[in-house]
Amino acid sequence: MFKQLALITAIVGAGALTGCVVANPNTVSAYDAQRMSTVIDATVLSVRPVTLQGRDTGVGTVSGAVIGGIAGSNVGGPRTGGIVGIAGAVVGGLIGNAVERDATTRQADEILLQLKNGDRRAVVQPLGGDVFAVGDPVILVTTGGRTRVMHAPPVTTGSAQPAYPAPYPAPAPQ
């Protein structure tokens, strides 16, 4: 009975953790389909790697506590089973919380951008297929309050030369 309950709890906990993953910047939500997005031209000023902190929803803590409590209560005799079960629940909860945070931690880039009008923006974006370098012409696509950075597609005016967007000059050091 206890083993079946532990297995069910582990499966539910693992399933809940999969819902905590941050979306890839190249993946668009079905909710965003047929919605107008705002597109702004910009140039990359700098890119630095950052770590997106893992989520702490409590699913890992609860799952770990249940599994640890069940496992601990099966250790020892009638007198010590309850004490070991409580200790197992505490330790299992701590381990479950750490596993959840580690499983949802992701690497990302903080991209500093200069807009065409001179304003600057910073966007933190999980690592995807795009690699950005200083001076790259990019577009900011904002839909429903979420912004992603993409390489700007070349725009032509009938000639073979791209007309716009052209990279902005880097600001002079001060």
Side-chain angles (χ1 to χ4, degrees), residues 67-78:
I67 293 169
I70 291 170
S73 67
N74 288 324
V75 175

Side-chain angles (χ1 to χ4, degrees), residues 6-7 20-22 26 42 44-46 78 93 97 103 105 118 127 129 137-138 148 159-160 173:
L7 180 62
C20 297
V21 176
V22 177
N26 296 324
V44 176
L45 295 178
S46 68
N97 181 279
T105 297
L127 295 180
V138 295
R148 64 185 190 275
S159 66

Side-chain angles (χ1 to χ4, degrees), residues 14-117:
L17 285 175
T18 60
C20 297
V21 176
V22 177
N24 183 310
N26 296 324
T27 302
V28 179
S29 167
Y31 178 76
D32 293 335
Q34 295 184 333
R35 293 188 180 272
M36 184 166 302
S37 298
T38 303
V39 179
I40 301 172
D41 293 302
T43 299
V44 176
L45 295 178
S46 68
V47 179
R48 74 179 182 103
V50 296
T51 301
L52 293 176
Q53 183 177 359
R55 294 185 182 171
D56 187 4
T57 63
V59 173
T61 303
V62 171
S63 299
V66 168
I67 293 169
I70 291 170
S73 67
N74 288 324
V75 175
R79 290 185 175 182
T80 59
I83 296 169
V84 176
I86 291 171
V90 170
V91 172
L94 293 172
I95 292 171
N97 181 279
V99 167
E100 179 184 14
R101 269 187 283 121
D102 189 50
T104 57
T105 297
R106 295 209 38 206
Q107 297 304 309
D109 281 334
E110 180 185 58
I111 308 164
L112 182 62
L113 307 152
Q114 182 162 352
L115 306 181
K116 186 177 178 183
N117 66 4

